[in-house]
């Protein structure tokens, strides 16, 4: 397996999985920038794991300012020392996400102020490596920016989480398909109470959520404890936060077989 790592400046670096040092769960790990050899000021923003490079697969990338780009994965099949440019990023913009796609999936973008847009990837012309993206979402607010991108199938659920601990699970069908480059619709009305939108992810009932606050508190909870509700709603409180605390990050954890067995028992 090959891992492709993408930095905020739009560069792509390769690492074979066996080149990543194995370590115990509690150990500190190695800094990725040292392993891939990028500049110390670059930040790794995304990675994808590739088993086989095939003709159909596409690589979808998006930037903070809402530009989106699609390229054939085959263009990234030959590792080069020192990396290559995967996307030409404008000044004051940065790459925030990269995902693999089968070539006919829908893209879902979400912004910090709670807007989102869904469109089919075929609305993005597939281009070469050192090219800029095209408009994926047009910002409705001057201070807004994209916080996440999903490549989705037709069914499934979308989970969004806000900085003040609100979360919501909705059916993907609630996000109707639109034209690329529009202003989108609200996925969570960001306000004083909820805080800003910080995370969007695709989930299934069997997943767990790992929520980490900026004060270092970590909470794990099952996704199926959240009722499925409409898209344009504020959501429910996932975690009780101290007055000044905010959620720093949210990830999903796939339960292992032992845990599933324990729960059944």
């Amino acid at each position: 397996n090959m891992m492709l790592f993408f930095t905020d400046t739009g560069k792509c670096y390769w690492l074979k999985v066996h080149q990543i040092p194995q370590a115990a769960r509690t150990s500190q790990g190695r800094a990725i920038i040292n392993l891939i050899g990028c500049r110390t000021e670059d930040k790794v923003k995304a990675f994808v794991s590739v088993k086989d490079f095939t003709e159909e697969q596409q690589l979808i990338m998006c930037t903070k300012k809402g530009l989106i780009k699609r390229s054939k994965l085959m263009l990234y099949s030959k590792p080069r020392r020192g990396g290559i440019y995967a996307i030409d990023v404008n000044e004051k913009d940065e790459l925030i996400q990269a995902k693999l796609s089968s070539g006919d999936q829908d893209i879902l973008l979400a912004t910090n102020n709670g807007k989102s847009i869904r469109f089919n990837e075929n609305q993005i012309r597939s281009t070469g490596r050192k090219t800029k993206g095209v408009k994926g979402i047009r910002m409705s607010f001057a201070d807004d920016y994209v916080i996440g991108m999903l490549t989705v199938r037709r069914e499934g659920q979308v989970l969004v989480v806000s900085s003040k601990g609100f979360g919501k699970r909705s059916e993907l069908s609630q996000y109707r398909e639109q034209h690329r480059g529009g202003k989108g619709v609200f996925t969570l009305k960001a306000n004083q109470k909820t805080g800003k939108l910080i995370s969007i992810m695709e989930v299934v009932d069997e997943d767990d959520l790992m929520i980490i606050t900026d004060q270092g508190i970590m909470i794990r909870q099952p996704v199926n404890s959240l009722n499925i509700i409409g898209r344009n709603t504020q959501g429910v409180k996932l975690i009780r936060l101290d007055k000044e605390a905010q959620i720093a990050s949210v990830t999903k954890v796939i339960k292992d077989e032992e845990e599933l067995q324990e729960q059944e028992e």
Side-chain angles (χ1 to χ4, degrees), residues 76-144:
Y76 300 84
S77 59
K78 293 184 175 66
R80 291 191 201 165
R81 190 183 284 281
I84 57 163
Y85 274 100
I87 178 172
D88 190 9
V89 178
N90 293 329
E91 214 178 318
K92 295 193 173 154
D93 198 2
E94 58 184 76
L95 174 122
I96 61 156
Q97 188 58 275
K99 301 254 185 199
L100 288 184
S101 137
S102 62
D104 188 29
Q105 285 182 247
D106 281 1
I107 311 286
L108 201 58
L109 298 175
T111 76
N112 190 236
N113 278 318
K115 295 294 285 270
S116 69
I117 195 167
R118 174 186 179 179
F119 55 85
N120 190 272
E121 66 172 275
N122 287 307
Q123 293 186 24
I124 319 162
R125 199 166 58 85
S126 202
T127 55
R129 286 195 311 243
K130 185 119 171 59
T131 54
K132 292 185 192 304
V134 291
K135 196 60 107 189
I137 186 167
R138 204 172 294 280
M139 303 303 163
S140 305
F141 310 95
D143 63 343
D144 212 0

Side-chain angles (χ1 to χ4, degrees), residues 156-247:
Q157 295 141 17
V158 175
L159 178 86
V160 289
V161 181
S162 76
S163 59
K164 291 193 177 170
F166 283 79
K168 180 181 65 173
R169 186 163 65 125
S170 305
E171 294 290 357
L172 181 59
S173 54
Q174 292 261 319
Y175 294 80
R176 63 186 168 82
E177 225 174 282
Q178 293 178 284
H179 287 295
R180 170 181 71 72
K183 286 190 166 183
V185 292
F186 273 107
T187 171
L188 184 131
K189 280 224 165 101
N191 54 36
Q192 288 296 124
K193 186 173 148 192
T194 60
K196 301 283 194 180
L197 192 66
I198 58 158
S199 178
I200 181 166
M201 58 184 84
E202 218 180 345
V203 290
V204 294
D205 274 355
E206 291 72 39
D207 292 335
D208 275 2
L209 282 189
M210 191 75 90
I211 303 166
I212 302 165
T213 74
D214 57 4
Q215 298 182 345
I217 292 172
M218 194 155 82
I219 282 192
R220 181 171 172 169
Q221 67 182 76
V223 162
N224 62 10
S225 64
L226 281 175
N227 289 339
I228 296 175
I229 55 178
R231 172 185 53 75
N232 194 0
T233 50
Q234 103 177 357
V236 294
K237 201 133 183 117
L238 293 178
I239 177 174
R240 259 205 189 84
L241 293 168
D242 294 340
K243 220 180 177 90
E244 295 306 308
Q246 299 234 344
I247 290 183

